[in-house]
Amino acid sequence: MKIKQPMIQETQLTQATTFPPNLSDILLEKLWFEDTTYEQHDQINRLIIDKNIWNKVYFSNQVCDAIEISDTVFDGCDFSNTEWINSSFHRVVFKNCRLTGVNFADSYINHCQFIDCSMHYASFNFAKIRYTSLTQCDLISSEFSDMDWKHLELSHCFLNKTTWVNTSLTTLNLSSCQFEQLYFSPDKIRGLIINLDQIINIGLALGLVLDEPLDTVDNKKTT
């Protein structure tokens, strides 16, 4: 799967030291924010972010609706408990970001990358995802229900107690990821790609019963 990279020329960016006091209905274009905090907490509507780099920006507990972000890199930023509802992301990279409790519900996510991000309790419910990868992300207890996806790649992620109800898992490859429990719709699991260890966890989730202790099964696999 080839993901388009953000189209940014760093030499054309303008260093910005503070955010405007109100981010609704404005365009942030070709800007570089570093070690900056956005402290306002009014709802942000129809913000457009294009060709930006945000490095170590604190932008948590914000409520954003119908915003558009394109060709942007977020590196080491804190977006904890921020709402990105009904928003669109095109060629966006989240790297080393804190995304705990972030809500991407009803958003469109296209050609995006999440790398080494902390994403406990994140929500992608009802999101539409295309050509997107999540690599070495901690997604424990996150939600992916009623999601429409194509070309989604999860690599070496922590997925324990994630929820995938009403989301088709056909061709989704979780074999490099770690989980003990997943919550999913049994009729949507056909074609899921997993490894041998994960087959046991999936079987238990489906209500199957092992006729011998798990430690016996583990011993057989190593002999």
Side-chain angles (χ1 to χ4, degrees):
M1 181 179 68
K2 187 173 182 180
I3 300 175
K4 294 179 182 178
Q5 299 298 310
M7 296 182 290
I8 308 173
Q9 295 186 25
E10 295 184 8
T11 56
Q12 295 182 356
L13 302 184
T14 300
Q15 182 73 46
T17 56
T18 60
F19 286 100
N22 187 347
L23 292 180
S24 290
D25 300 294
I26 67 170
L27 168 65
L28 299 178
E29 185 179 22
K30 296 182 179 179
L31 297 175
W32 186 314
F33 293 93
E34 188 158 0
D35 294 313
T36 305
T37 299
Y38 184 70
E39 298 180 344
Q40 305 299 319
H41 289 284
D42 296 330
Q43 180 166 318
I44 300 169
N45 302 306
R46 297 174 298 279
L47 167 68
I48 299 174
I49 300 173
D50 184 43
K51 297 180 178 63
N52 275 214
I53 292 178
W54 292 19
N55 186 27
K56 297 180 181 178
V57 172
Y58 189 82
F59 197 88
S60 67
N61 298 295
Q62 302 298 327
V63 177
C64 306
D65 182 70
I67 70 171
E68 299 180 20
I69 304 178
S70 58
D71 296 307
T72 291
V73 174
F74 299 115
D75 192 350
C77 297
D78 188 341
F79 295 106
S80 299
N81 300 313
T82 288
E83 305 275 348
W84 302 103
I85 298 173
N86 192 33
S87 298
S88 62
F89 302 79
H90 298 271
R91 298 175 302 279
V92 177
V93 175
F94 292 90
K95 184 177 181 181
N96 299 314
C97 289
R98 185 174 178 82
L99 295 163
T100 303
V102 167
N103 191 353
F104 291 97
D106 291 300
S107 290
Y108 182 57
I109 301 171
N110 183 44
H111 286 278
C112 293
Q113 300 173 70
F114 297 81
I115 305 168
D116 291 314
C117 292
S118 177
M119 304 177 69
H120 284 215
Y121 304 102
S123 175
F124 292 87
N125 293 341
F126 297 96
K128 186 174 183 178
I129 296 179
R130 300 289 185 268
Y131 292 97
T132 290
S133 66
L134 296 99
T135 304
Q136 294 183 330
C137 292
D138 192 340
L139 289 151
I140 291 174
S141 297
S142 291
E143 298 183 354
F144 301 88
S145 294
D146 296 279
M147 194 172 67
D148 175 4
W149 66 272
K150 291 182 181 178
H151 306 291
L152 173 63
E153 181 179 284
L154 289 95
S155 178
H156 301 283
C157 293
F158 294 94
L159 298 176
N160 199 36
K161 296 185 178 180
T162 52
T163 301
W164 303 78
V165 174
N166 294 328
T167 294
S168 173
L169 302 182
T170 301
T171 73
L172 186 65
N173 191 337
L174 303 183
S175 62
S176 69
C177 299
Q178 296 184 33
F179 61 85
E180 294 181 2
Q181 289 180 291
L182 294 182
Y183 306 108
F184 53 85
S185 299
D187 61 327
K188 302 288 187 179
I189 196 174
R190 185 179 180 87
L192 174 66
I193 302 170
I194 53 178
N195 63 43
L196 184 59
D197 291 326
Q198 294 165 344
I199 287 176
I200 296 174
N201 294 327
I202 293 293
L204 293 174
L206 289 169
L208 303 182
V209 179
L210 291 174
D211 66 352
E212 53 188 313
L214 280 175
D215 56 353
T216 303
V217 176
D218 292 336
N219 289 333
K220 287 183 177 180
K221 290 189 297 183
T222 58
T223 58

